[in-house]
């Protein structure tokens, strides 16, 4: 079967059963990508883990890469969703800023740890697959915009000269340290690193 022939057979699930089948395939793929990495996983394994035939897999996804791109979207939505859920519960007028930053750091660490191998694979694919790179860049840009939106909630408390530039610095600092804590553990105590990062961000941002 050629790629073009396969594309015409891709099913768009509309009934509950079909939707659940596609969700099962996606969940199985994410777990396998996390455990074995993208290149260590094949479509037959994904189908078996989802409890469907290989033929059924190909009725929902053109290939492994297609389900990986869907998985990547879900990964970022889950990560951002955790942060936004926490933000929705915060009283910004009474919050302890240091504790707030620590919560954000812990949420990022948890989300990364759930799919450790999946995240590692992204670092490789970012430089080898333009579509993955574009999707990741889009999500990173969204994360920076969300950081900016958060900072603009209380602009009078800020001491930075350029809020937009500050939002990028804070976003990148958080991501860099979280990546280090999850994927390249250091000799330093993790709690100490988190506390120092939170202290640095609070002292940098606020009066």
């Amino acid at each position: 079967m050629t790629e073009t022939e396969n594309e015409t057979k891709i099913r768009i699930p509309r009934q509950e059963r079909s939707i659940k089948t596609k969700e099962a395939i996606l969940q199985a793929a994410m777990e396998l990508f996390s455990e074995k990495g993208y290149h260590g996983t094949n479509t037959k394994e994904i189908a078996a883990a989802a409890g469907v035939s290989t033929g059924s897999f190909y009725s929902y996804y053109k290939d492994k890469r297609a389900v990986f791109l869907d998985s990547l979207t879900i990964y970022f939505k889950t990560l951002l969703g955790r942060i936004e859920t926490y933000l929705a519960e915060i009283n910004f007028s009474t919050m302890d800023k240091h504790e707030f930053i620590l919560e954000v750091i812990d949420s990022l660490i948890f989300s990364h740890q759930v799919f450790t191998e999946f995240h590692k694979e992204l670092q490789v694919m970012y430089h080898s697959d333009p579509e993955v790179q574009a999707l990741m860049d889009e999500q990173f840009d969204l994360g920076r915009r969300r950081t900016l939106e958060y900072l603009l909630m209380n602009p009078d408390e800020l001491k930075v000269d350029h809020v937009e530039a500050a939002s990028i610095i804070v976003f990148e600092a958080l991501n860099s340290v979280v990546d280090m804590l999850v994927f390249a553990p250091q000799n330093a105590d993790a709690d100490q690193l988190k506390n120092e990062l939170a202290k640095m961000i609070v002292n940098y941002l606020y009066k």
Side-chain angles (χ1 to χ4, degrees), residues 137-186:
D137 285 344
E138 179 183 334
Q139 295 301 322
F140 289 144
D141 185 58
L142 178 59
R144 295 183 189 100
R145 293 201 305 272
R146 288 287 190 271
T147 305
L148 177 61
E149 290 169 7
Y150 157 70
L151 294 181
L152 290 175
M153 289 179 181
N154 294 281
D156 294 338
E157 296 185 356
L158 299 174
K159 66 180 182 182
V160 295
D161 295 323
H162 303 284
V163 180
E164 187 170 353
S167 69
I168 295 172
I169 290 170
V170 170
F171 177 82
E172 296 298 335
L174 284 167
N175 274 286
S176 295
V177 175
V178 167
D179 280 358
M180 180 187 71
L181 287 169
V182 176
F183 306 115
Q186 305 295 302

Side-chain angles (χ1 to χ4, degrees), residues 81-141:
R82 282 183 57 81
I83 301 298
E84 293 188 334
T85 297
Y86 178 67
L87 289 176
E89 298 172 351
I90 289 294
N91 183 333
F92 287 96
S93 62
T94 61
M95 71 175 184
D96 181 293
K97 295 179 176 62
H98 185 88
E99 290 299 319
F100 166 70
I101 298 298
L102 283 177
E103 287 284 348
V104 171
I105 294 170
D106 284 337
S107 291
L108 289 169
I109 289 173
F110 176 82
S111 298
H112 282 28
Q113 286 175 333
V114 171
F115 299 109
T116 302
E117 291 300 324
F118 181 81
H119 188 89
K120 287 180 179 178
E121 204 78 5
L122 292 182
Q123 308 309 304
V124 176
M125 295 190 70
Y126 180 86
H127 298 288
S128 62
D129 189 313
E131 192 168 356
V132 170
Q133 185 180 74
L135 187 53
M136 289 179 69
D137 285 344
E138 179 183 334
Q139 295 301 322
F140 289 144
D141 185 58

